[in-house]
Amino acid sequence: MAPVLEVHDLHKSYPWGEDRLHILRGLDLIVERGARIGILGPSGSGKSTLLHLLAGLDLPDRGSVTVLQRDLLGMPEEARILFRRQHYGFVFQFHHLMPDLTALENVMLPLLLLGIAEGEARERSAELLKELGLGERLHHLPGVLSGGEQQRVALARAVIHQPTLVLADEPTGNLDRRNSLHLMEYLVALNETHGTTLLLVTHNPELQRFMHHNFRLEDGRLTPWEPSHA
Ligand SMILES: Nc1ncnc2c1ncn2[C@@H]1O[C@H](COP(=O)(O)OP(=O)(O)OP(=O)(O)O)[C@@H](O)[C@H]1O
Ligand SMILES: [Mg+2]
């Protein structure tokens, strides 16, 4: 079976005064269907930059991103938006929940955008939020939830439509140890039951043990990094 994701020779730089800051420098990556891949790197190494490029939320200087055998960067913008809605779940580093929608409404949104009826969307979303321990928080706005609660709502929103590929940016960043483990166990269970492919970036080496393969993002490229090296 073809890989879910193939990245070739990805380069990304940002303007820096007169010069440019080169963040990704010829990065390659192949992710097989059903894999759990961890990418570790210190703050500023380019982890969020990489995930944004892999979702087509930003464009590289050069290189290719192939998802489910489609050239993500070659698609017209509209097609890319629809493709992303259908196949991706994205857990943002700073969750980006809609501030005027309740927790439940935030989770329902991806389903509604895919044309699923409101009643079913409501039911599925409430069930998932309960499973994530947020049964008492369905009708709260994100602003009154704790950081960890917001992060769990963001996770629910990312996976509610059973995407092929989940990209998670520091998903346990606001959680205590117990909740971090719980969230990781949930992601692993999702991967094992639905075959959801998972790509997670973090600076926390403790998360490596939940992954099949780990890489280190260093000097703009990935190198294999097994837990025994940690
Ligand atoms: N839009 C931008 N314009 C200019 N520089 C940027 C931009 N986005 C990111 N950078 C720079 O690129 C580098 C990588 O940023 P990125 O957010 O990808 O790092 P990260 O590995 O996710 O870090 P963290 O662990 O702190 O989240 C940083 O030095 C950052 O300042
Ligand atoms: Mg980041």
Side-chain angles (χ1 to χ4, degrees):
M1 204 185 283
V4 166
L5 173 68
E6 285 184 80
V7 180
H8 183 61
D9 197 30
L10 205 61
H11 288 256
K12 180 71 180 176
S13 61
Y14 294 111
W16 176 249
E18 302 278 280
D19 212 348
R20 295 191 74 83
L21 200 56
H22 291 270
I23 305 300
L24 303 181
R25 301 163 174 258
L27 182 144
D28 295 311
L29 175 66
I30 293 182
V31 179
E32 301 294 343
R33 195 176 274 264
R36 297 197 300 270
I37 304 293
I39 295 178
L40 267 108
S43 184
S45 57
K47 302 182 298 297
S48 295
T49 299
L50 173 62
L51 280 201
H52 291 158
L53 295 176
L54 299 187
L57 292 167
D58 195 2
L59 295 174
D61 302 344
R62 68 170 203 260
S64 67
V65 178
T66 310
V67 181
L68 299 169
Q69 298 177 278
R70 301 274 307 273
D71 172 16
L72 184 72
L73 307 173
M75 285 181 202
E77 179 68 15
E78 273 297 299
R80 191 158 55 228
I81 290 171
L82 294 177
F83 185 80
R84 190 161 53 226
R85 262 182 210 160
Q86 189 172 9
H87 296 293
Y88 281 76
F90 203 112
V91 185
F92 290 93
Q93 184 167 13
F94 302 106
H95 31 78
H96 295 321
L97 293 169
M98 298 283 197
D100 301 328
L101 299 183
T102 65
L104 181 65
E105 289 163 347
N106 265 283
V107 179
M108 287 169 64
L109 200 55
L111 295 177
L112 299 177
L113 288 171
L114 288 171
I116 289 170
E118 191 172 335
E120 186 191 338
R122 188 175 295 279
E123 205 171 302
R124 277 169 60 180
S125 303
E127 199 174 309
L128 178 55
L129 283 168
K130 282 178 198 155
E131 201 177 321
L132 289 169
L134 293 168
E136 306 294 314
R137 298 285 183 277
L138 299 185
H139 306 296
H140 289 58
L141 294 175
V144 300
L145 298 177
S146 74
E149 287 169 343
Q150 291 177 30
Q151 203 136 23
R152 277 179 283 160
V153 176
L155 175 74
R157 180 187 55 182
V159 303
I160 187 67
H161 56 303
Q162 301 188 347
T164 317
L165 176 63
V166 170
L167 303 180
D169 194 348
E170 211 69 78
T172 64
N174 287 311
L175 300 180
D176 57 28
R177 194 154 185 279
R178 192 174 67 86
N179 279 306
S180 296
L181 294 180
H182 187 232
L183 185 140
M184 288 309 298
E185 280 159 9
Y186 178 80
L187 283 174
V188 168
L190 189 77
N191 163 266
E192 287 177 348
T193 18
H194 295 290
T196 310
T197 305
L198 175 65
L199 185 65
L200 181 147
V201 305
T202 181
H203 61 251
N204 180 1
E206 230 201 325
L207 305 187
Q208 280 181 301
R209 64 189 172 89
F210 294 98
M211 301 295 153
H212 295 132
H213 300 289
N214 290 285
F215 294 89
R216 201 171 165 76
L217 178 53
E218 227 166 15
D219 303 325
R221 292 182 191 203
L222 296 175
T223 43
W225 177 266
E226 296 309 327
S228 56
H229 302 168

